[in-house]
Each structure stands twice: as C-alpha cells, then as structure tokens.
Amino acid sequence: MNDFFQTDIISIRDFNKEKLETVFSATDKIIQMNPNERRELARGKTLGYLFFEPSTRTRLSFQAAMASLGGTSLGIADASSSSTKKGESLADTVHIMSLYSDVLVLRHPLDGSSRFAAEISSKPLINGGSGTEEHPTQAIQDLFTIIREKKKIDGLKIGVAGDLKYGRTVYSLLYALSNYNVDVHLISPESLKIRSDSTYDIKKRLKYKESSSLEEHIDEFDVLYVTRIQKERFPDEEEYLKVKGSYTIGLDLVKKMKDDAIILHPLPRVDEISTDVDETKQAKYFKQAQYGKDTRAALLALILNENSF
Ligand code: NCD
C-alpha cells in the first residue's frame, strides 16, 4: 500500500524527504503516462472543492488534475453563493461535501481550518491554503519545479523575497526546504519579516539569513522565489500602503542574476515582477503553475489508489 492512500494532506511538516520524493517520482510518471492509462487513476471518483477565499491556480489545477485522471469535480468556488451565506457552519458544509465526494480540497482564511475540517470529513482532505499558515500543495509544486529546472535541491542558494509575514506559501516552502541542505536568504521589509512563532521548527533545521536588500545577493542566487504582498491580510490599510511596491523585479535586476538562475512566484503577481521579465530565460513561474497541475494529479492519484502506479 502506498503511504498516501486515503490520507489527509494538512501540513508540509508531515512530509519528510522520502515522502516528498514519492510525490515527485509519481509526478514524473504522471507526466510520462499515456492519457488513457492516466484516466484510469480516478475513474468514477469525485473531487469536492470548498474555497472560502479567491483562487485561480489552486482550484483550477486541482480540477484539471482530476479531469486528467478520469475523475470529476464539484464544489463551491465562492462562499457567498453557498449556504454559508445563510449561516451554515464550516463543519456542516464539510460534512455534506464528504457525502458527495471521494476527496476534498479546502481553502479557508483561518489558520487551523484544514485540520479542523479533516476531523469532520469522512473522506481525505487536502489543505488548499489555510490562513497565513500553510499551503502544502504549493510547496510540493515549488520543489518539483526546482528539481526539474535545476536537477537538484541540495547545495542551492535560494532567495525568498516579499511578504514573509503573511504569505502562507513561504512557510510551507521553508518547511519543505528544511529537508534539504540549502542556503536560504529571506528578503523583506522590516515589518514583513518571517513570524518568529512559526520559525521555531525552521530555525532548527534550515540555514537562513535575513535582510531587506534584494540587490545585495541577487548575483548569487540559484533560485529567487518572489511573493505578493498579501494586502487582504493586513490589519490596517495604512500598514499596507507603507510596504506596497517594496520590491519590483525588472530587467535591470534580472541582468544581475546568474545566467542559469530561476525566478519562481506562486502567483498571482501584482507588481513584484514586471511583465517584460516573463520573456527572460530565468522566468519559470508559468512553468511552475503548469507543474501545479501535474503534482496535484500525482497527489490525488496516490490518495485514491491503494497501490502505487
Ligand atoms: C497563493 C495563496 O493563495 O497563498 N496563491 C496560490 O495558491 N498560488 C499566493 C498568493 O495569494 O499570494
């Protein structure tokens, strides 16, 4: 039996290197598989999605992944059109969805929401983004992209820039990277430094330095991971306005980067990366979004099939 069969995916902290690599090699297989064979992996199965926050890539890549495995998906993409609006609880919504589907994906503004929902759900539940806490499937796709593009993770120098305080993808990325031997530079304005309450685990296992200058080490990075300033999570607009537009990666900065460096971003971008960078060979964020579908398909196939494929 594979380790993921019928399991919840709540935190990337539950993944050791071996588990991460199981998903990466399943993804390699999914990519190579012929479509007819792939459509057997979730034939007759349903993915139920519950999204209480906006999403483009996460929800659509899960749906595209499920379709590529021969399954189907149904769900709530906008909570205001569901009975939540009438006052139905998250617990009841999850309960109902687990009656209608074989695997669930939840995105919710509260930290802890996925763990709570997984206890209610009779079917495996995947965290599609919980508050400022975690986004485990994004980290899987981020690491998979690094491996595909750089052929390794160990030994890389990785810059992580932007909103490190509220960006949940950053926490999942750092937890995942702590399984490897990497050199991390965290770059953010002072007020958006990584939260100390969430770094306890990371500090023990990951080498990292913090600074506020993007330019200082840009010529050394193998990977530059850029994030959006999470406007919606700021307690007040004034604070957001102080840091808005803090970093913009333009062609001038890309020219200073190593020739074979890669730029990643979980997307959506607002103004952190100018669109003319998209044409450079370092820009890999669209490729990363494409791998989001493949890695999620691998994860769904592992959760739904008892035997490895
Ligand atoms: C991220 C998220 O929702 O945390 N989006 C995504 O899933 N790719 C990043 C973000 O919103 O900035």
Side-chain angles (χ1 to χ4, degrees):
M1 195 168 86
N2 92 70
D3 281 355
F4 291 93
F5 182 56
Q6 294 295 317
T7 61
D8 302 313
I9 308 294
I10 306 299
S11 166
I12 204 73
R13 277 180 282 185
D14 299 331
F15 284 63
N16 57 18
K17 192 170 179 174
E18 196 187 322
K19 280 185 94 174
L20 285 169
E21 286 173 1
T22 301
V23 183
F24 300 151
S25 62
T27 308
D28 287 331
K29 284 189 203 149
I30 289 275
I31 292 172
Q32 281 156 19
M33 225 178 238
N34 91 43
N36 287 331
E37 210 184 324
R38 195 163 50 213
R39 277 194 286 273
E40 293 303 314
L41 292 171
R43 184 206 276 275
K45 303 280 190 210
T46 302
L47 167 80
Y49 56 84
L50 296 172
F51 276 62
F52 292 90
E53 278 187 350
S55 169
T56 299
R57 274 149 296 272
T58 304
R59 183 171 57 80
L60 295 180
S61 64
F62 264 114
Q63 289 193 256
M66 197 60 181
S68 76
L69 300 176
T72 186
S73 54
L74 54 87
I76 295 164
D78 172 11
S80 66
S81 67
S82 75
S83 287
T84 309
K85 183 90 176 162
K86 300 181 189 167
E88 186 160 54
S89 66
L90 175 63
D92 282 358
T93 310
V94 168
H95 185 180
I96 296 302
M97 186 53 102
S98 69
L99 303 176
Y100 297 158
S101 51
D102 301 289
V103 54
L104 279 71
V105 185
L106 174 71
R107 169 168 288 190
H108 195 279
L110 289 180
D111 291 5
S113 49
S114 278
R115 208 167 284 286
F116 166 75
E119 282 170 21
I120 310 271
S121 176
S122 55
K123 306 289 168 46
L125 185 136
I126 304 173
N127 178 359
S130 50
T132 59
E133 181 189 45
E134 272 219 54
H135 193 347
T137 62
Q138 179 71 44
I140 292 172
Q141 114 190 40
D142 298 341
L143 262 59
F144 184 79
T145 310
I146 296 174
I147 292 177
R148 277 273 163 146
E149 295 297 327
K150 302 296 302 173
K151 311 287 173 242
K152 61 174 188 177
I153 298 182
D154 284 324
L156 295 180
K157 198 161 202 170
I158 302 178
V160 183
D163 186 346
L164 311 185
K165 183 174 187 181
Y166 297 117
R168 58 191 168 204
T169 68
V170 170
Y171 293 91
S172 290
L173 175 71
L174 296 178
Y175 293 135
L177 285 176
S178 66
N179 289 292
Y180 295 85
N181 180 20
V182 286
D183 190 358
V184 173
H185 277 248
L186 301 178
I187 305 145
S188 68
E190 188 60 31
S191 65
L192 296 182
K193 277 168 79 171
I194 192 160
R195 299 189 301 268
S196 56
D197 60 337
S198 304
T199 47
Y200 185 70
D201 284 352
I202 300 171
K203 267 200 188 112
K204 286 189 290 189
R205 303 183 54 202
L206 188 73
K207 270 186 290 174
Y208 68 87
K209 294 191 188 99
E210 297 180 88
S211 73
S212 58
S213 162
L214 181 58
E215 275 204 69
E216 199 180 352
H217 296 285
I218 200 145
D219 54 337
E220 297 166 22
F221 298 142
D222 301 297
V223 179
L224 176 62
Y225 189 96
V226 187
T227 65
R228 170 181 73 91
I229 300 203
Q230 310 275 302
K231 181 180 181 193
E232 69 280 20
R233 306 208 192 276
F234 279 67
D236 91 63
E237 170 102 14
E238 280 294 299
E239 289 303 308
Y240 168 70
L241 292 173
K242 284 187 202 158
V243 288
K244 180 177 181 270
S246 296
Y247 302 107
T248 306
I249 320 282
L251 286 178
D252 50 333
L253 278 183
V254 177
K255 283 198 187 101
K256 295 184 180 156
M257 295 181 76
K258 279 187 179 173
D259 214 41
D260 62 350
I262 59 170
I263 304 171
L264 302 181
H265 191 308
L267 302 177
R269 73 170 144 191
V270 181
D271 53 10
E272 318 76 60
I273 302 180
S274 66
T275 51
D276 48 11
V277 171
D278 299 357
E279 303 308 319
T280 66
K281 61 173 183 250
Q282 286 91 347
K284 296 292 178 194
Y285 28 92
F286 292 116
K287 198 89 213 228
Q288 182 186 3
Q290 183 190 330
Y291 288 140
K293 176 189 159 194
D294 304 320
T295 47
R296 289 182 174 108
L299 207 51
L300 288 169
L302 289 166
I303 292 171
L304 294 170
N305 292 278
E306 187 162 355
N307 298 315
S308 306
F309 45 90

